């Protein structure tokens, strides 16, 4: 829709490169915070800025009515690799009904769809119930600011229902209600050998090489069969119920072919005894994300590095405990290290796996709102990703959770050419409008 005010607002927000992972973008992250906070302030919300980019904003124009919370994050992933973008990541570009930009679907488009519904309600005499926004700028780095803010201030943030829109439809035309998110334990594994970098011609064959040692360690953490080898890793894994798995098997999506086409991978990997969807939703896993140290340039340098670093994460499922797994991983890595190399394992972030009730007035309202806005009832699904603050929203606020998303499976979140369907954006706005009406008694 040319000139649509909701789209224009989204494009403005997409132009702000609010990359939380990179310190050089700190001022931009703050600019995105101020942009969002300013907009809520302009709508008549009482806005409080908390530490670490937290925005807590409330409109309590319906004394005695219930409070609907809306969650989102305005920070985005780094845009690299830049040369794979068809148009620049922070210049939103519309093609074939999609807007392309970093953060389009994760999470600016989804956040803006929710905000837009509130804006439209404000222009029509105000929503039928009270609204609380809880928004953060550190989601993509597992930051603890909003989780801590929610825990510390729970008693002055009464919230009956909260809508967390930061995921996607399992398939086009198929909205979902999320019943569980995986947790995450992200660690830096460091290996240290000689006291300084050495010439490999002079010392190769005798000097312990921490990069070789790190490579041994990393390759031992997960077998070729997809099993993580950390002792005790699977001890607390609770299998999904037969009913759950049966429900998933009925969803005609995420078969091997679909996953191969979305990922561009010729074959899938992982535990062969579980279906692909079970592997993503209900099984834990481990991935290496990067290695640093030694020579990273184009040509060659014959160095034995003094240190090497591996970035590794584990996706966790109920009832795995990140702290227990960290303790076991530390012992295991120390055992795997080769002589002369010292290792350390430092956590970068922790998030517990979390499950949500789907039998509440909030989820009943969400089902109706999805049917009205998207013409389809949501299916019950899990998600493989993590949204850390959902733990606190559920535990500390005690709010009824609606966890879902307006993205599509091929939106390429975290990848080059991330995009959001503008149709999903507008229907997402309608969903939020209907949700407010239904929960407000309409
Ligand atoms: N929106 C995603 C999480 C997500 C992905 C939910 C797919 C549902 C389906 C979120 O922005 C994200 O990327 N989270 C990080 C959290 C981490 C850095 C603590 C993740 O899952 O890697
Ligand atoms: Mn997100
Ligand atoms: Mn993300």
């Amino acid at each position: 829709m040319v000139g649509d005010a909701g789209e224009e607002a989204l494009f403005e927000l997409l132009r702000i490169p609010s990359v939380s992972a990179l310190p050089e973008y700190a001022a931009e992250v703050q600019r995105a915070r101020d942009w969002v906070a300013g907009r809520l302030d302009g709508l008549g919300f009482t806005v409080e800025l908390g530490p670490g980019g937290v925005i807590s904003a409330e409109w309590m124009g319906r004394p005695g009515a219930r409070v609907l919370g809306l969650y989102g994050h305005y920070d985005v992933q780094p845009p690299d690799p830049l040369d794979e973008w068809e148009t620049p990541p922070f210049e939103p570009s519309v093609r074939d009904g999609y807007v392309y930009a970093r953060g389009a679907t994760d999470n600016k488009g989804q956040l803006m769809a929710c905000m837009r519904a509130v804006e439209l309600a404000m222009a029509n005499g105000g929503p039928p119930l009270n609204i609380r926004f809880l928004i953060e700028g550190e989601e993509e780095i597992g930051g603890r600011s909003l989780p801590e803010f929610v825990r510390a201030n729970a008693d002055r943030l009464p919230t009956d229902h909260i809508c967390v829109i930061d995921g996607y439809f399992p398939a086009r035309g198929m909205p979902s209600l999320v019943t569980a998110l995986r947790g995450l334990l992200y660690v830096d594994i460091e290996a240290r050998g000689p006291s300084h970098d050495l010439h490999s011609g002079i010392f190769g064959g005798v000097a312990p090489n921490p990069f070789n040692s790190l490579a041994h360690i990393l390759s031992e953490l997960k077998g070729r069969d997809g099993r993580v080898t950390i002792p005790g890793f699977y001890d607390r894994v609770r299998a999904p119920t037969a009913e759950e798995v049966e429900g998933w098997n009925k969803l005609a999506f995420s078969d091997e072919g679909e996953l191969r086409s979305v990922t561009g991978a010729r074959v899938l990997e992982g535990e062969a005894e579980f279906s692909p969807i079970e592997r993503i939703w209900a099984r834990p896993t481990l991935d290496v994300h990067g290695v640093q140290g030694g020579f990273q340039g184009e040509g060659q340098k014959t160095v034995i590095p003094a240190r090497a670093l591996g970035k590794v994460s584990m996706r966790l499922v109920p009832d795995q405990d990140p702290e227990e797994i960290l303790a076991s991983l530390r012992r295991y890595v120390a055992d795997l290290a080769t002589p002369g190399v010292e290792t350390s394992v430092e956590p970068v972030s922790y998030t517990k796996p979390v499950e949500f009730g789907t039998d509440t007035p909030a989820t009943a309202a969400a089902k109706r709102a999805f049917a009205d806005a998207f013409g389809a009832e949501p299916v019950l699904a899990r998600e493989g990703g993590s949204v850390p603050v959902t733990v606190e929203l559920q535990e500390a606020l005690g709010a009824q959770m609606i966890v879902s998303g307006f993205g599509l499976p091929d939106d390429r979140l975290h990848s080059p050419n991330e995009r959001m369907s503008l149709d999903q954006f507008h229907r997402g706005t309608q969903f939020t409008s209907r949700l407010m009406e239904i929960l407000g008694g309409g």
Side-chain angles (χ1 to χ4, degrees), residues 64-151:
R66 279 176 294 194
V67 182
L68 171 65
L70 296 168
Y71 164 82
H73 63 90
Y74 59 79
D75 65 320
V76 302
Q77 286 280 322
D80 59 284
L82 280 178
D83 54 1
E84 288 186 26
W85 284 79
E86 277 170 39
T87 49
F90 298 108
E91 288 171 27
S93 158
V94 176
R95 300 192 291 277
D96 299 330
Y98 288 87
V99 56
Y100 288 80
R102 169 58 83 229
T105 188
D106 187 12
N107 175 246
K108 290 173 172 174
Q110 309 201 50
L111 169 62
M112 202 52 224
C114 296
M115 285 176 65
R116 186 66 192 148
V118 174
E119 289 179 17
L120 293 171
M122 287 298 183
N124 276 296
L129 77 179
N130 299 303
I131 304 291
R132 173 182 317 293
F133 277 101
L134 289 167
I135 300 173
E136 66 181 319
E138 297 182 338
E139 196 279 340
E140 297 291 7
I141 50 172
R144 298 307 299 167
S145 295
L146 183 61
E148 277 165 18
F149 182 90
V150 167
R151 257 199 214 288

Side-chain angles (χ1 to χ4, degrees), residues 193-434:
S195 64
H196 51 280
D197 286 8
L198 299 170
H199 190 302
S200 72
I202 303 176
F203 301 106
V206 295
N209 184 325
F211 224 133
N212 290 19
S213 189
L214 181 69
H216 287 303
I217 294 168
L218 295 179
S219 70
E220 289 282 337
L221 296 178
K222 186 159 107 176
R224 285 166 192 252
D225 56 1
R227 292 282 292 188
V228 176
T229 56
I230 302 166
F233 189 74
Y234 293 93
D235 284 1
R236 287 187 194 275
V237 171
R238 181 155 45 81
T241 63
E243 226 181 317
E244 249 184 317
V245 177
E246 200 182 306
W248 301 344
N249 290 341
K250 277 198 215 118
L251 308 174
F253 71 93
S254 296
D255 58 356
E256 302 239 0
E258 173 81 23
L259 281 165
R260 282 204 305 267
S261 113
V262 175
T263 57
R266 268 190 283 276
V267 285
L268 303 179
E269 65 161 39
E271 297 172 293
E273 62 274 39
F274 296 94
S275 71
I277 206 63
E278 280 181 81
R279 266 132 70 186
I280 298 172
W281 287 356
R283 295 292 295 170
T285 188
L286 179 146
D287 278 288
V288 177
H289 304 293
V291 284
Q292 296 171 0
F295 180 58
Q296 302 277 347
E298 289 274 314
Q300 57 180 325
K301 178 183 179 191
T302 49
V303 59
I304 295 175
R307 67 182 275 280
L309 184 77
K311 298 205 159 270
V312 176
S313 85
M314 287 135 278
R315 295 279 168 184
L316 308 178
V317 301
D319 297 316
Q320 284 178 299
D321 174 35
E323 303 213 19
E324 251 176 52
I325 288 171
L326 175 64
S328 176
L329 176 65
R330 281 189 156 137
R331 290 189 293 269
Y332 188 44
V333 166
D335 286 350
L336 290 173
T338 54
V341 172
E342 260 176 58
T343 60
S344 60
V345 179
E346 287 308 322
V348 180
S349 78
Y350 292 85
T351 299
K352 286 196 289 184
V354 57
E355 287 176 291
F356 311 108
T358 46
D359 228 352
T360 65
T363 52
K367 283 180 193 164
R368 277 178 61 196
F370 268 120
D372 293 347
F374 289 90
E377 287 251 339
V379 298
L380 296 183
R382 293 194 186 189
E383 289 280 18
S386 316
V387 183
V389 76
T390 53
V391 173
E392 285 74 18
L393 296 176
Q394 180 160 260
E395 281 179 17
L397 287 190
Q400 292 169 4
M401 308 291 291
I402 299 166
V403 182
S404 190
F406 307 141
L408 292 174
D410 52 0
D411 276 351
R412 306 192 195 117
L413 53 159
H414 294 203
S415 303
N417 304 306
E418 177 178 350
R419 63 186 187 174
M420 170 120 202
S421 150
L422 291 171
D423 184 54
Q424 292 287 113
F425 172 73
H426 293 295
R427 289 178 191 269
T429 301
Q430 284 165 33
F431 165 87
T432 312
S433 301
R434 284 298 292 139

